DNA sequence: GTCTATATCCTGATAGAC
DNA sequence: GTCTATCAGGATATAGAC
């Protein structure tokens, strides 16, 4: 396995800092310090801050694709695979209470900044939406699949926002249980009894 | 009616700018330009940026209280009053698609900044939560009132985040209709048939 | 209360030595 | 590829005249 390149390290640290502090509030100096290189060296790898943002979004797209692919391979059925998605809210709850959802908060910040990369950030949501719609389609709800996928995404985003604001684990557990019940209430038309 | 003081004007313009551009991305110069005063004069009214944020949060608290009070006075019953809350998503949809929910995005940004005012910003959510819980209690769901209020708040926040990301009016309409159905499905225990 | 002028620091970004 | 030195501009914040 090759050693991690400086460029890869920069993108990894920038990804974490953009998540934890926000894009605007993260300076080149912050990233350089996290990587352990000088500010000058920085510009050998990225010309502008927007270039780093592009690389961070590309990285998140890649990793999201990999995660969804993993759930696709491991989950025994669409219902179980959707549960993998929902389980993220529990697995990452301490980070979510501190910094929110990485995708939702980035999209919101870029919207306020009027940043050109907002559309690319939304594409990460698009990956989740399409994957969830695929699962729902497999359950047999072909015509409403995308609508239900957007509803599920919105629900999880709402939980993330409220979890960040109130830092209430019981609330998260309760909502996750609610999503689970909602999922169970979806009729499985692919396996008629 | 007295003319609006410079201080009030500063808070009003800062409120709008914090919403539309974010707290971190808004500079003193931006606010001063919006108000039409010099940067120097600015410090006569507020010593630090955090002082302005406190004033903005206080203003939002006041206005939220006034809005909830208005709904309380005008709505004929708890179900109608909750519909006033839900209707915000439609009435403000273009602003929400551009900048998200003012409360949710502020809480998320302050969380990332590790800002001391985060708790005060969350109190705005607390006003909505308590008011919604009151309405739900009036419907007779006394024991689950706060849980259902948090669920409703989370739902609306999720819709706001996804609306900002995807800018899809049909999605908003669909989710608002879903919330309306959910509300209608709540049994009214206060008026047994 | 409002202004101009200024101080100090930090930002993104560049030039050029090694 | 990494560094130091430096730039121009903008940030918050202050001092002091009017």
């Amino acid at each position: 396995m090759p050693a991690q390149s400086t460029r890869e390290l920069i993108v990894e640290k920038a990804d974490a800092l953009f998540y934890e502090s926000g894009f605007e509030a993260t300076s080149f100096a912050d990233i350089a310090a996290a990587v352990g290189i000088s500010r000058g060296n920085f510009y050998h790898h990225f010309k502008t801050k927007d270039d780093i943002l592009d690389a961070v979004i590309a990285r998140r797209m890649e990793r999201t694709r990999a995660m969804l692919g993993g759930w696709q391979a491991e989950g025994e059925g669409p219902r179980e695979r959707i549960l993998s998605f929902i389980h993220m809210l529990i697995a990452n709850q301490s980070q979510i209470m501190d910094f929110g959802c990485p995708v939702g908060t980035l999209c919101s910040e870029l919207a306020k900044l009027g940043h050109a990369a907002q559309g690319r950030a939304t594409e990460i949501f698009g990956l989740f939406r399409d994957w969830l719609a695929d699962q729902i389609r497999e359950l047999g709800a072909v015509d409403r699949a995308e609508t239900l996928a957007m509803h599920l995404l919105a629900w999880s985003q709402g939980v993330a926002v409220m979890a960040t604001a109130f830092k209430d684990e019981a609330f998260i557990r309760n909502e996750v249980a609610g999503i689970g019940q909602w999922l169970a209430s979806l009729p499985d038309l692919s396996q008629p009894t």
Side-chain angles (χ1 to χ4, degrees), chain A:
Chain A
M1 196 162 69
Q4 193 175 29
S5 70
T6 300
R7 191 196 147 92
E8 283 167 346
L9 239 180
I10 290 173
V11 177
E12 178 190 321
K13 296 295 187 185
D15 191 345
L17 284 166
F18 288 174
Y19 174 42
E20 294 170 10
S21 304
F23 171 69
E24 182 81 3
T26 300
S27 69
F28 274 41
D30 294 332
I31 305 171
V35 176
I37 60 171
S38 68
R39 265 154 294 163
N41 186 7
F42 206 98
Y43 289 86
H44 177 73
H45 301 279
F46 294 95
K47 307 234 166 183
T48 72
K49 200 180 176 186
D50 289 351
D51 288 343
I52 305 174
L53 178 60
D54 284 341
V56 166
I57 292 175
R59 175 190 152 96
R60 291 191 185 183
M61 286 286 284
E62 260 182 56
R63 292 169 66 89
T64 300
R65 263 191 260 268
M67 185 174 64
L68 295 175
W71 292 346
Q72 191 72 27
E74 290 166 21
E76 291 187 15
R79 225 176 275 275
E80 238 189 42
R81 292 196 281 266
I82 295 174
L83 282 171
S84 299
F85 169 78
I86 299 167
H87 183 69
M88 274 198 302
L89 287 168
I90 300 287
N92 303 328
Q93 67 174 308
S94 68
Q95 291 176 71
I96 290 171
M97 287 190 291
D98 285 343
F99 314 114
C101 165
V103 190
T105 54
L106 181 63
C107 284
S108 294
E109 183 179 3
L110 295 182
K112 279 182 200 287
L113 296 176
H115 198 289
Q118 203 218 327
R120 255 160 292 157
T122 299
E123 282 176 34
I124 307 174
F125 267 145
L127 290 178
F128 282 103
R129 178 201 55 199
D130 294 344
W131 184 86
L132 286 170
D134 281 347
Q135 310 309 318
I136 294 168
R137 235 171 260 119
E138 238 185 275
L139 285 175
V142 177
D143 50 335
R144 299 176 60 217
E146 192 149 315
T147 297
L148 293 172
M150 284 292 284
H151 175 67
L152 199 42
L153 259 186
W155 198 341
S156 67
Q157 284 301 305
V159 173
V161 170
M162 299 300 287
T164 310
F166 285 97
K167 326 236 182 256
D168 182 344
E169 292 186 22
F171 161 76
I172 300 177
R173 276 197 307 274
N174 195 66
E175 287 292 315
V176 166
I179 300 177
Q181 284 175 10
W182 175 84
L183 179 60
S185 77
L186 285 183
D188 191 339
L189 302 175
S190 70
Q191 297 180 8
T193 47

